[in-house]
Amino acid sequence: MDGGGEGGGAAYNPRTVEEVFRDFKGRRNGMIKALTTDVQEFYRLCDPEKENLCLYGHPNEHWEVNLPAEEVPPELPEPVLGINFARDGMMEKDWLSLVAVHSDAWLLAVAFFFGARFGFDKADRKRLFNMMNDLPSIFEVVAGTAKKQSKEKSSVSNNSSNRSKSNSKRGSEPKSKYSKPELKDEEEEEGVEEDEDDDDEQGETQCGACGESYAADEFWICCDLCENWFHGKCVKITPARAEHIKQYKCPSCSNKRARS
């Protein structure tokens, strides 16, 4: 859509943490527009009949679908190639989510490229990452989880006085309360102030595949048939993929249905 270079020409180079963060926000906002408000135009431009296409976000909050840079090596890290080839091979929502994940990775690459180029030290890199991490990722915006997370955080802060009571029931919560995609995020929110006694209760929930105990910092998914919980990595389900699964069947249940 919006071409015209990097919003300032080849000489544009953010040199401070604040300038790099401003660059990051501009590119991010442009790419979010492409995948949300301008999605019909973005879809149209990603014609599978064309050559390898990339989605670029520019510092001036514009976006562009174009061929990759011709110079090798390129002046900046390049976005993922060939987003147009996958357009017609999957559901539109899944395709947009895939582009969003790659866009998040590209934004981080560009930001830390500037950081490395202009000698950011450990403190600068940490501050830059924290500033970027305070914003929802493009994937979270496109998938709609950014709004859910903000509501969850608000709910957690409003009910902080009741934490001690709710924590005493932690052992049963994974199976009775949490849905598949939100399991990890909600557990992280409520797990900050857990007592040591709760660790024993959490151990009661075990992965149906590997047998290891439940942990709050890992993504889990529950089978809707046998109601066993599994590490996402054990059954090869990512949080992004879980967003699009209406009824999850674990490998064991899937095999049983196939045989019957």
Side-chain angles (χ1 to χ4, degrees):
M1 178 184 175
D2 297 288
E6 291 293 316
Y12 176 77
N13 282 313
R15 295 174 179 269
T16 67
V17 171
E18 287 72 21
E19 288 176 348
V20 173
F21 179 60
R22 203 156 46 236
D23 177 272
F24 170 87
K25 283 201 302 182
R27 296 176 190 274
R28 171 183 173 275
N29 290 341
M31 299 176 99
I32 287 175
K33 286 179 185 177
L35 299 175
T36 55
T37 57
D38 298 343
V39 67
Q40 290 183 343
E41 177 69 2
F42 172 69
Y43 186 92
R44 184 186 68 81
L45 291 173
C46 291
D47 185 349
E49 297 300 319
K50 295 182 179 179
E51 296 183 46
N52 280 306
L53 294 176
C54 304
L55 171 61
Y56 293 89
H58 297 306
N60 59 4
E61 301 192 4
H62 291 172
W63 60 272
E64 176 185 11
V65 171
N66 209 338
L67 296 171
E70 294 183 1
E71 63 265 29
V72 179
E75 182 181 355
L76 290 177
E78 284 288 298
V80 67
L81 289 169
I83 56 173
N84 51 315
F85 296 147
R87 191 195 73 176
D88 295 344
M90 56 201 306
M91 293 180 62
E92 181 177 345
K93 185 177 180 181
D94 294 340
W95 176 66
L96 293 174
S97 295
L98 178 66
V99 176
V101 170
H102 282 295
S103 298
D104 282 320
W106 179 68
L107 288 177
L108 290 174
V110 172
F112 280 95
F113 171 84
F114 286 131
R117 183 173 181 179
F118 296 111
F120 286 10
D121 60 17
K122 181 179 180 181
D124 289 336
R125 293 193 301 271
K126 183 176 181 180
R127 186 157 64 94
L128 174 60
F129 177 79
N130 287 338
M131 292 168 72
M132 296 188 297
N133 199 42
D134 281 340
L135 296 173
S137 67
I138 296 178
F139 169 76
E140 288 170 339
V141 174
V142 171
T145 57
K147 293 180 180 179
K148 294 179 185 178
Q149 289 176 1
S150 63
K151 289 180 181 179
E152 289 166 6
K153 290 179 181 178
S154 175
S155 175
V156 167
S157 62
N158 291 337
N159 295 297
S160 59
S161 60
N162 298 323
R163 280 274 182 86
S164 59
K165 293 182 180 179
S166 64
N167 284 343
S168 65
K169 300 178 181 179
R170 293 284 296 105
S172 61
E173 282 182 349
K175 289 187 178 181
S176 63
K177 183 175 180 180
Y178 295 109
S179 61
K180 292 166 288 190
E182 284 81 21
L183 176 64
K184 177 179 176 181
D185 293 334
E186 291 196 34
E187 283 301 306
E188 288 177 346
E189 291 290 348
E190 294 194 10
V192 175
E193 298 180 10
E194 289 178 358
D195 300 317
E196 292 183 359
D197 295 340
D198 293 330
D199 293 339
D200 296 334
E201 294 179 355
Q202 289 182 5
E204 296 174 4
T205 304
Q206 295 179 328
C207 174
C210 69
E212 292 187 7
S213 299
Y214 169 84
D217 60 347
E218 297 177 308
F219 172 72
W220 285 56
I221 189 168
C222 180
C223 175
D224 289 313
L225 296 183
C226 66
E227 297 187 352
N228 287 327
W229 285 86
F230 299 86
H231 289 107
K233 62 184 180 181
C234 289
V235 290
K236 298 182 179 179
I237 299 292
T238 64
R241 185 177 174 190
E243 288 283 346
H244 311 294
I245 298 177
K246 293 182 179 179
Q247 183 184 52
Y248 173 67
K249 291 181 289 186
C250 69
S252 178
C253 290
S254 296
N255 291 335
K256 289 179 183 176
R257 293 289 290 269
R259 286 195 296 270
S260 63

